[in-house]
Amino acid sequence: MEDLGLNAPHSMGTTIIGVTYKDGVILGADSRTSTGVYVANRASDKITQLTDNVYVCRSGSAADSQIVSDYVRYFLHQHTIQLGQPATVKVAANLVRLLAYGNKDTLQTGMIVGGWDKYEGGKIYGIPLGGTIIEQPFSIGGSGSSYLYGFLDQAWKDGMSKDEAEELVKKAVSLAIARDGASGGVVRTVIINEEGVTRNFYPGDQLPLWHEELEPQNSLLDIWGAAAASPVPMTE
């Protein structure tokens, strides 16, 4: 029997993105988690809260990214109690970086930390595999990111409104889903600014279709039934 890798570790072949806009940041991600070629969870949440004002997008090994997030959330809680005020985005990102770099030989995860604080406003930090930390106006990660660099270089602009930035995030993730077999499912976004946090959810059937993508179907039987109902005429 062919080995499909069904006992492999859960891996988030993923598309994650964080962008800054004039009032804050927006994080976005797809929702497919796979083990081998099997989709273990098609609606997972890859955007995790670290503090009231800081979130992290997770890619790579699901177990690795979850344990890093748990440790950082615990450390930030202690930090907030000691200082008597919320941790900054930079502090949160550097804690992620310390754990990622200190365990770079064993962790298989890339993360994007984004949030808002009263000192620096909205900030995005990319922390790819290996534990480097890079402050960027926008950051992308996961297997779907390779399809998006040129698009975001052209489409992102400084001073975007919240609606423009969220539409960009939604479009970018749906474009990656169309090309990357390891990305899929729904699109989740998190908007973080001075007013607080807003989470949005976009089901797959509400995302734009690109190129030769098929319309969403409930099952393969629907596709076969449609094909049988309207056969393609034979030509010589």
Side-chain angles (χ1 to χ4, degrees):
M1 181 178 176
E2 182 184 357
D3 181 12
L4 300 179
L6 301 185
N7 294 318
H10 285 206
S11 174
M12 294 186 300
T14 294
T15 301
I16 55 174
I17 178 173
V19 303
T20 55
Y21 72 100
K22 66 178 182 178
D23 297 319
V25 303
I26 299 181
L27 303 175
D30 75 310
S31 65
R32 178 171 292 175
T33 298
S34 55
T35 175
V37 299
Y38 176 71
V39 177
N41 188 343
R42 60 181 180 177
S44 59
D45 188 355
K46 302 177 184 179
I47 310 176
T48 299
Q49 184 180 29
L50 296 179
T51 71
D52 289 345
N53 59 308
V54 183
Y55 282 68
V56 60
C57 294
R58 303 177 292 110
S59 70
S61 165
D64 290 356
S65 65
Q66 286 169 353
I67 197 64
V68 170
S69 301
D70 288 346
Y71 270 113
V72 170
R73 190 186 306 110
Y74 169 76
F75 291 141
L76 289 174
H77 179 65
Q78 301 301 314
H79 179 83
T80 299
I81 291 173
Q82 290 171 358
L83 267 64
Q85 63 181 14
T88 64
V89 186
K90 182 181 289 186
V91 166
N94 272 286
L95 276 172
V96 174
R97 187 265 306 172
L98 280 170
L99 284 171
Y101 183 76
N103 299 277
K104 61 182 179 294
D105 294 333
T106 54
L107 293 178
Q108 295 290 321
T109 181
M111 310 177 88
I112 297 172
V113 176
W116 184 94
D117 62 65
K118 63 183 180 181
Y119 300 104
E120 296 188 292
K123 290 291 182 181
I124 292 288
Y125 294 90
I127 305 162
L129 195 67
T132 302
I133 185 168
I134 312 166
E135 181 186 340
Q136 298 172 292
F138 67 85
S139 181
I140 50 179
S143 56
S145 64
S146 58
Y147 302 97
L148 297 178
Y149 283 98
F151 167 71
L152 280 166
D153 284 340
Q154 186 273 329
W156 184 87
K157 60 181 185 289
D158 194 19
M160 287 186 294
S161 69
K162 179 179 75 173
D163 290 342
E164 287 176 325
E166 186 175 30
E167 188 60 31
L168 175 64
V169 168
K170 188 170 72 169
K171 185 176 182 180
V173 177
S174 66
L175 276 166
I177 286 173
R179 289 290 188 184
D180 177 35
S183 299
V186 305
V187 173
R188 302 178 192 274
T189 65
V190 176
I191 304 166
I192 312 169
N193 53 37
E194 186 176 7
E195 298 174 0
V197 176
T198 304
R199 296 199 65 143
N200 292 322
F201 172 90
Y202 300 98
D205 59 2
Q206 292 182 16
L207 299 177
L209 294 177
W210 304 100
H211 316 300
E212 297 179 350
E213 279 193 288
L214 297 175
E215 291 281 351
Q217 305 287 337
N218 290 325
S219 75
L220 285 174
L221 294 176
D222 296 334
I223 300 175
W224 293 334
S230 50
V232 179
M234 294 181 65
T235 58
E236 292 183 351

